[in-house]
Amino acid sequence: MDKSSTLLVHYDKGTPAVAKEIKEALEGNDVEAKVDAMKKAVMLLLNGETIPQLFITIIRYVLPSEDHTIQKLLLLYLELIEKTDSRGKVLPEMILICQNLRNNLQHPNEYIRGVTLRFLCRLKETEIVEPLTPSVLQNLEHRHPFVRRNAILAIMSIYKLPNGDQLFVDAPEMIEKVLATEQDPSAKRNAFLMLFTCAEERAVNYLLSNVDKVSDWNESLQMVVLELIRSVCKTKPSEKGKYIKIIISLLSATSSAVIYECAGTLVSLSSAPTAIRAAANTYCQLLLSQSDNNVKLILLDRLSELKSLHRDIMVELIIDVLRALSSPNLDIRRKTLDIALDLITHHNINEVVQMLKKEVVKTQSGELEKNGEYRQMLIQAIHACAVKFPEVASTVVHLLMDFLGDSNVASALDVISFVREIIETNPKLRVSIITRLLDTFYQIRAGKVCPCALWIIGEYCLSLSEVESGISTITQCLGELPFYSVSEESEPTETSKKIQPTSSAMVSSRKPVILADGTYATQSAASETTFSSPTVVQGSVASGNLRALLLTGDFFLGAVVACTLTKLVLRLEEVQSSKTEVNKTVRQALLIMVSMLQLGQSPASPHPIDNDSYERIALCIKLLCHRNDEMKKIWLESCRQSFVKMISDKQLIEMAELKAKTQTTNAQPDDLIDFFHLKSRKGMSQLELEDQVQDDLKRATGEFTKDENDANKLNRILQLTGFSDPVYAEAYVTVHHYDIALEVTVINRTKETLQNLCLELATMGDLKLVERPQNYSLAPGTSMQIKANIKVSSTETGVIFGNIVYETSNVMERNVVVLNDIHIDIMDYISPAVCTEVAFRTMWAEFEWENKVAVNTTIQNEREFLDHIIKSTNMKCLTAPSAIEGECGFLAANLYAKSVFGEDALVNVSIEKQTDGALSGYIRIRSKTQGIALSLGDKITLKQKGST
């Protein structure tokens, strides 16, 4: 691993030389030089420098300037400098800037007035703001809207300061009058925001008195209205009925942002079917009207949330959701299909399948991007539909079988897997599927698809005509025998005669040759004749796909061909009364198998046949030569039974997952019972009635119960300092996707007031602090909560470290308390996920980062160790339980998880039980990024010892 190296370079940016250069530039008359100097001063302040020696120079030479850029930079400078001393008192020199600010507030130029008013919004010192209040009030009546809207914001900021309500006693009343007469949309929005923030009752009264006009208001004002409604309904839930009417009226607004916020507000305030249906319809309309892919993904997330909470209502909108498939983006299509598959019922299955079939047909054109991947998703979706509702299988299976010869191997594999499952679960379709498969078998060109298709032919060709057609199809696809031949050369040259006087190809030599019909003969070679090396007989173009694949060295396929022919011959013996025909077919099958073995052992093959395939073909030859009833039962019945068991296990796993998703909530016996039907319904709208019913149902089922109890919250608290430290601190860590929220509780355990107390944090890894730390004062024995937000950009394990710095009145030196490190666990970012075996293998081959961890544990049971790893890594085991049950001393399983950033984590566990009872083996982790592979490896290394 690469280790980080730190190099500390000394660079004193606040040296007198730099400050002197800035001072000289500010004292000059060159405007551009002053602008550059002010920019340098601002940058130094942002980097933590104080440069107090520049203050008087800026007051003398920069304040009088009329240049707008200089005035803007001056306000930035004044915002950054310290305006108070260590005791919190305003510095005396700050009085110098008050007169300049007053002049700016009365300046004839509206831009100077506006930016100065905006600057006042950032001032927190009441002593500086107090003399400016008359000038601020005068700007409420300025002719330019830019000044008026900033004046309203300045009044709101001053009013919220400590004792600010004494500076503007009648501020809410004045703003309410401004709101009634103001015509500028932005100024009107700021005025309503001021009332909402500082005098909520006045804002509510204004809203209710203008209910009919809300739909005509400006977009920005409508957004503030929605924010007000959310705030009011949170404090007064009983009054939300009259506000929901306003929200529903805003659903017809022209702004997409307002409509989206309306839908979100409806869902958060009401669970009435009418409200949820209106919100879902809104999301579906936005899904079709918006062109931005990110917006579409956000809307699909909202629909997915609605689906989990209000599935019955979302079922009605499944076709509207599926219209999002018109987007060419694969992520949008994938998420759309995931939502739709959870909403399928007996009532809409036919419509859904019809729509999916149309999409499959569209992929046959070359116009769409990534047709193969999209077709694969559609096939998987149709497969899921057919498994849930077998009655629709007959309408799609023949359409999908047209894609068995698809150039996209993954898509063709999905089709043949679908056909294999449907032919077992739908016996009525067996004849039509077998007939169609035999007709289209020659189109299959993928070596991974042919074995599955051959297995279906061997298992489900039951009648005489089907068995004969199966054998004929395989024979035609293999082409003419033999697969290779030895060509003859006559009349060798004199040179060859001299060079090879004792060659094995002379008169006395005898060697076997393969005749045209595949039989062997011994031939004497004349002295004038020699034989060249064996060459592969390619056959005609119509020879078939199996021959082409065999000649490339795919002898696993050859073994599957042998097994299929064996099953067909054994079944032919049951359904065919003529022994002559059976024996003829046996000879033909034996000839094919022997020819494949001969090809695998000849130099003509690209590589020799592997032992497994050789033994499998040889076993088939022995079986056909020595047929008995016991072997017939194994070959013709046991294989099918194993497949049926595999399907049943798969269905049991799916049912268990569905059951795990269904949360069971119980109401407490002492919960309040609200007899809604005994209440007066006078004056209540239909929406309010529905909402009351839904609330009662939620109370009855315990849905209002919080998922996370206090005990779980206590597990997330981390102690940062010791009990003997003068400042005790502990943090409650909340990880929510891309954000980490730290709530740090700080307790002053001394008898002195702690001044300028600051929580200084730093991060290591892909973590980033959002805010700059602030200073606080903490009285003796009191506590306070400090919140810090951290952004996360990857699943790499991160560390948050830092310290608490404070000063006391007796000793002005800064005291430092070092905090314990906070390790952000990768388990907070990944969650169990499911993928197909084909997708897992594809990703396993593609991902370049691998971390190999040796098994080192005290656990002696293989299954117990696997369960421990699954629990420790928060991953999903993809291997079926039936494949890992039993005691054989070996265990291999695949685990899969997905991070909140869309990263895939693949784990393969391969362990073996030694003679002494200990477990050995390796756990291999693969991912696309280095961070997740290393973090998971560290986690497994730490946890694999056992529960401790």
Side-chain angles (χ1 to χ4, degrees):
M1 289 177 55
D2 294 337
K3 294 186 177 180
S4 58
S5 175
T6 305
L7 176 65
L8 182 63
V9 179
H10 175 71
Y11 173 55
D12 192 353
K13 295 169 286 188
T15 55
V18 176
K20 187 177 180 181
E21 291 177 8
I22 296 174
K23 185 177 180 181
E24 290 175 356
L26 293 175
E27 291 174 351
N29 295 324
D30 188 356
V31 176
E32 292 185 2
K34 279 189 177 183
V35 170
D36 291 339
M38 286 299 297
K39 287 181 179 179
K40 289 180 181 178
V42 170
M43 290 302 297
L44 288 174
L45 288 171
L46 288 172
N47 290 330
E49 301 293 338
T50 55
I51 49 173
Q53 61 269 35
L54 289 181
F55 182 77
I56 299 299
T57 304
I58 289 175
I59 294 296
R60 290 181 59 190
Y61 296 100
V62 179
L63 278 184
S65 176
E66 294 291 333
D67 185 77
H68 291 181
T69 306
I70 292 178
Q71 286 296 321
K72 180 70 174 177
L73 291 169
L74 171 64
L75 294 175
L76 289 174
Y77 171 81
L78 294 177
E79 182 184 342
L80 292 170
I81 61 173
E82 289 290 339
K83 304 172 187 66
T84 57
D85 56 17
S86 59
R87 294 171 297 175
K89 299 290 184 181
V90 175
L91 296 171
E93 54 265 30
M94 289 299 112
I95 300 173
L96 298 173
I97 69 171
C98 288
Q99 183 60 40
N100 177 71
L101 293 175
R102 185 185 295 108
N103 294 338
N104 283 353
L105 291 174
Q106 298 171 357
H107 199 280
N109 185 279
E110 60 271 8
Y111 176 78
I112 297 295
R113 288 197 185 203
V115 294
T116 306
L117 288 165
R118 191 182 298 169
F119 167 71
L120 293 182
C121 297
R122 300 182 178 91
L123 285 181
K124 305 299 180 186
E125 293 75 23
T126 309
E127 294 87 343
I128 299 175
V129 173
E130 186 175 2
L132 304 176
T133 52
S135 301
V136 174
L137 289 175
Q138 292 175 4
N139 284 293
L140 280 177
E141 300 175 356
H142 195 273
R143 58 179 178 80
H144 203 283
F146 178 71
V147 177
R148 296 198 302 274
R149 70 177 73 132
N150 283 293
I152 295 170
L153 291 177
I155 291 173
M156 180 176 70
S157 300
I158 296 171
Y159 192 82
K160 289 193 295 184
L161 290 175
N163 302 322
D165 53 346
Q166 297 178 7
L167 299 178
F168 290 122
V169 179
D170 55 348
E173 186 178 349
M174 286 189 301
I175 298 299
E176 190 173 11
K177 291 179 182 178
V178 170
L179 183 60
T181 58
E182 183 60 62
Q183 299 299 319
D184 180 65
S186 297
K188 201 166 185 176
R189 175 256 180 198
N190 291 350
F192 190 80
L193 179 63
M194 190 274 173
L195 291 180
F196 163 42
T197 308
C198 305
E200 192 174 274
E201 286 298 325
R202 290 181 181 270
V204 170
N205 293 335
Y206 178 80
L207 175 61
L208 295 178
S209 61
N210 294 275
V211 171
D212 299 334
K213 301 177 183 177
V214 172
S215 56
D216 299 327
W217 286 354
N218 181 264
E219 171 189 349
S220 58
L221 182 54
Q222 290 174 342
M223 296 288 278
V224 180
V225 167
L226 291 171
E227 192 176 346
L228 171 66
I229 291 173
R230 283 194 293 266
S231 175
V232 172
C233 293
K234 190 174 182 181
T235 55
K236 301 176 183 177
S238 58
E239 297 182 5
K240 63 183 178 183
K242 54 187 175 183
Y243 296 109
I244 288 178
K245 297 175 185 176
I246 300 174
I247 298 172
I248 291 179
S249 68
L250 285 175
L251 285 175
S252 57
T254 55
S255 169
S256 299
V258 173
I259 297 173
Y260 174 78
E261 286 297 327
C262 282
T265 307
L266 265 181
V267 173
S268 63
L269 296 182
S270 174
S271 55
T274 305
I276 300 301
R277 194 173 289 109
N281 272 317
T282 301
Y283 287 143
C284 290
Q285 290 170 9
L286 290 173
L287 196 59
L288 294 177
S289 61
Q290 298 300 306
S291 57
D292 192 316
N293 288 337
N294 292 320
V295 173
K296 288 183 182 241
L297 289 171
I298 292 170
L299 289 167
L300 287 170
D301 286 337
R302 300 291 85 77
L303 288 170
S304 181
E305 291 170 4
L306 285 180
K307 176 204 70 178
S308 59
L309 297 173
H310 309 279
R311 184 180 181 275
D312 293 339
I313 297 172
M314 286 297 298
V315 164
E316 305 169 10
L317 303 170
I318 185 170
I319 300 301
D320 295 328
V321 174
L322 282 173
R323 290 195 178 97
L325 292 175
S326 58
S327 171
N329 185 276
L330 283 180
D331 292 329
I332 293 173
R333 287 170 164 172
R334 186 178 292 107
K335 191 166 284 191
T336 301
L337 289 172
D338 290 341
I339 294 172
L341 288 178
D342 289 337
L343 299 175
I344 297 172
T345 64
H346 285 283
H347 301 291
N348 59 29
I349 182 64
N350 291 324
E351 289 181 87
V352 172
V353 169
Q354 194 66 26
M355 194 165 185
L356 294 178
K357 284 169 63 177
K358 289 179 181 177
E359 290 296 318
V360 170
V361 174
K362 287 180 185 176
T363 60
Q364 291 179 293
S365 65
E367 300 173 2
L368 297 176
E369 186 182 359
K370 297 183 179 179
N371 274 345
E373 294 181 45
Y374 180 39
R375 189 184 305 122
Q376 184 182 357
M377 284 193 291
L378 291 171
I379 291 168
Q380 291 171 352
I382 293 173
H383 186 175
C385 293
V387 170
K388 286 183 181 179
F389 303 97
E391 64 270 15
V392 301
S394 59
T395 62
V396 295
V397 65
H398 297 298
L399 171 67
L400 294 185
M401 289 180 73
D402 291 335
F403 298 100
L404 284 174
D406 197 347
S407 57
N408 185 354
V409 179
S411 177
L413 269 175
D414 286 332
V415 172
I416 199 65
S417 301
F418 169 68
V419 171
R420 183 180 62 180
E421 189 166 347
I422 293 302
I423 200 172
E424 173 60 37
T425 55
N426 292 264
K428 295 179 181 179
L429 300 176
R430 186 192 64 79
V431 176
S432 61
I433 290 176
I434 282 294
T435 305
R436 188 64 183 274
L437 180 60
L438 292 174
D439 291 341
T440 57
F441 184 80
Y442 70 93
Q443 299 176 357
I444 303 175
R445 298 293 173 183
K448 294 182 179 180
V449 181
C450 281
C452 189
L454 287 168
W455 184 89
I456 295 172
I457 293 172
E459 287 293 334
Y460 296 97
C461 287
L462 303 180
S463 66
L464 177 60
S465 60
E466 290 170 353
V467 172
E468 290 177 344
S469 298
I471 295 172
S472 174
T473 300
I474 295 173
T475 306
Q476 290 175 10
C477 290
L478 286 171
E480 298 177 357
L481 299 177
F483 294 112
Y484 79 98
S485 65
V486 181
S487 59
E488 187 179 291
E489 295 178 359
S490 59
E491 296 297 331
T493 60
E494 292 296 327
T495 307
S496 65
K497 290 180 183 179
K498 293 177 181 177
I499 293 176
Q500 299 177 343
T502 59
S503 172
S504 61
M506 303 305 286
V507 175
S508 61
S509 66
R510 299 169 62 84
K511 69 181 297 184
V513 294
I514 302 173
L515 302 181
D517 60 353
T519 57
Y520 295 89
T522 302
Q523 179 176 340
S524 298
S527 59
E528 293 85 10
T529 304
T530 60
F531 293 98
S532 64
S533 60
T535 58
V536 170
V537 179
Q538 298 290 347
S540 62
V541 178
S543 295
N545 46 357
L546 294 180
R547 186 185 189 90
L549 292 170
L550 277 174
L551 295 181
T552 59
D554 190 352
F555 290 105
F556 172 76
L557 177 62
V560 176
V561 170
C563 293
T564 304
L565 287 173
T566 303
K567 290 179 183 178
L568 291 174
V569 169
L570 292 176
R571 189 162 284 117
L572 180 65
E573 196 172 18
E574 292 183 349
V575 297
Q576 175 63 267
S577 57
S578 174
K579 290 188 176 181
T580 306
E581 292 294 328
V582 172
N583 291 333
K584 181 181 177 182
T585 307
V586 169
R587 288 195 299 271
Q588 186 182 15
L590 288 172
L591 178 60
I592 292 172
M593 296 177 197
V594 170
S595 298
M596 288 191 292
L597 288 178
Q598 195 70 22
L599 174 66
Q601 293 177 330
S602 74
S605 176
H607 54 80
I609 187 171
D610 57 283
N611 291 333
D612 290 339
S613 300
Y614 181 89
E615 291 175 4
R616 192 70 172 168
I617 297 173
L619 175 64
C620 294
I621 293 173
K622 290 178 184 177
L623 178 61
L624 289 180
C625 294
H626 307 283
R627 301 186 293 278
N628 58 67
D629 294 337
E630 186 178 353
M631 295 303 295
K632 281 183 183 180
K633 183 178 180 181
I634 294 173
W635 279 72
L636 298 182
E637 295 179 14
S638 299
C639 291
R640 177 90 64 85
Q641 292 170 359
S642 299
F643 179 60
V644 171
K645 188 175 185 300
M646 186 187 81
I647 292 178
S648 61
D649 287 346
K650 180 183 173 184
Q651 292 173 345
L652 288 174
I653 293 172
E654 290 175 352
M655 290 176 63
E657 290 176 354
L658 186 63
K659 188 176 181 181
K661 287 181 182 178
T662 308
Q663 296 181 348
T664 55
T665 53
N666 300 311
Q668 296 298 321
D670 57 346
D671 282 353
L672 175 67
I673 300 177
D674 190 358
F675 291 98
F676 159 71
H677 294 285
L678 301 180
K679 282 185 177 180
S680 172
R681 304 188 183 188
K682 188 175 181 181
M684 295 181 72
S685 64
Q686 181 64 28
L687 192 63
E688 291 176 271
L689 294 173
E690 291 179 5
D691 213 19
Q692 286 284 351
V693 173
Q694 292 298 318
D695 288 349
D696 289 348
L697 286 173
K698 285 184 177 181
R699 283 194 187 89
T701 57
E703 197 171 328
F704 283 150
T705 306
K706 292 183 179 178
D707 294 334
E708 188 177 25
N709 54 28
D710 294 335
N712 289 334
K713 291 188 75 172
L714 289 173
N715 294 333
R716 308 289 296 177
I717 294 178
L718 302 174
Q719 184 178 340
L720 301 181
T721 63
F723 293 112
S724 60
D725 288 323
V727 177
Y728 175 76
E730 61 183 21
Y732 175 63
V733 184
T734 305
V735 179
H736 182 69
H737 294 319
Y738 303 99
D739 300 305
I740 298 175
L742 294 181
E743 296 181 20
V744 183
T745 302
V746 181
I747 303 174
N748 181 4
R749 304 189 64 203
T750 67
K751 296 181 180 180
E752 300 179 3
T753 300
L754 305 183
Q755 299 174 355
N756 293 332
L757 185 142
C758 179
L759 175 66
E760 296 180 348
L761 296 175
T763 59
M764 186 172 66
D766 289 336
L767 305 176
K768 184 179 179 182
L769 285 168
V770 177
E771 303 120 346
R772 295 179 65 188
Q774 296 182 3
N775 294 335
Y776 304 92
S777 294
L778 197 58
T782 59
S783 64
M784 69 180 303
Q785 276 197 342
I786 303 174
K787 294 185 178 181
N789 292 319
I790 296 168
K791 287 288 182 185
V792 186
S793 56
S794 79
T795 47
E796 183 178 352
T797 300
V799 180
I800 304 171
F801 56 93
N803 46 54
I804 293 176
V805 182
Y806 63 92
E807 298 173 355
T808 58
S809 55
N810 297 336
V811 183
M812 296 306 294
E813 294 182 359
R814 294 171 69 85
N815 300 295
V816 179
V817 178
V818 179
L819 305 178
N820 291 333
D821 295 345
I822 301 174
H823 292 265
I824 303 302
D825 197 352
I826 186 177
M827 296 301 102
D828 295 320
Y829 304 134
I830 67 173
S831 57
V834 179
C835 72
T836 62
E837 183 182 355
V838 176
F840 185 92
R841 291 180 181 276
T842 303
M843 289 188 287
W844 187 268
E846 290 177 354
F847 290 171
E848 55 185 3
W849 290 103
E850 178 175 303
N851 193 2
K852 193 173 182 180
V853 180
V855 173
N856 182 17
T857 181
T858 56
I859 301 173
Q860 295 190 344
N861 182 272
E862 305 97 311
R863 186 60 188 270
E864 183 183 343
F865 178 73
L866 176 64
D867 293 338
H868 176 67
I869 293 297
I870 292 172
K871 182 180 178 181
S872 302
T873 57
N874 195 25
M875 301 187 81
K876 172 75 176 176
C877 181
L878 300 182
T879 307
S882 59
I884 53 179
E885 64 185 10
E887 298 290 337
C888 65
F890 296 91
L891 187 145
N894 294 330
L895 313 181
Y896 179 65
K898 208 171 183 68
S899 75
V900 296
F901 307 99
E903 300 167 320
D904 300 290
L906 312 178
V907 172
N908 173 260
V909 181
S910 299
I911 49 179
E912 176 186 0
K913 195 166 187 176
Q914 302 293 331
T915 54
D916 58 354
L919 298 180
S920 65
Y922 291 96
I923 302 171
R924 297 166 67 194
I925 307 150
R926 286 197 184 183
S927 66
K928 206 169 189 176
T929 57
Q930 183 184 23
I932 197 168
L934 293 176
S935 301
L936 262 181
D938 295 341
K939 186 73 176 179
I940 291 173
T941 303
L942 184 67
K943 291 285 187 179
Q944 69 168 320
K945 288 284 186 181
S947 58
T948 56

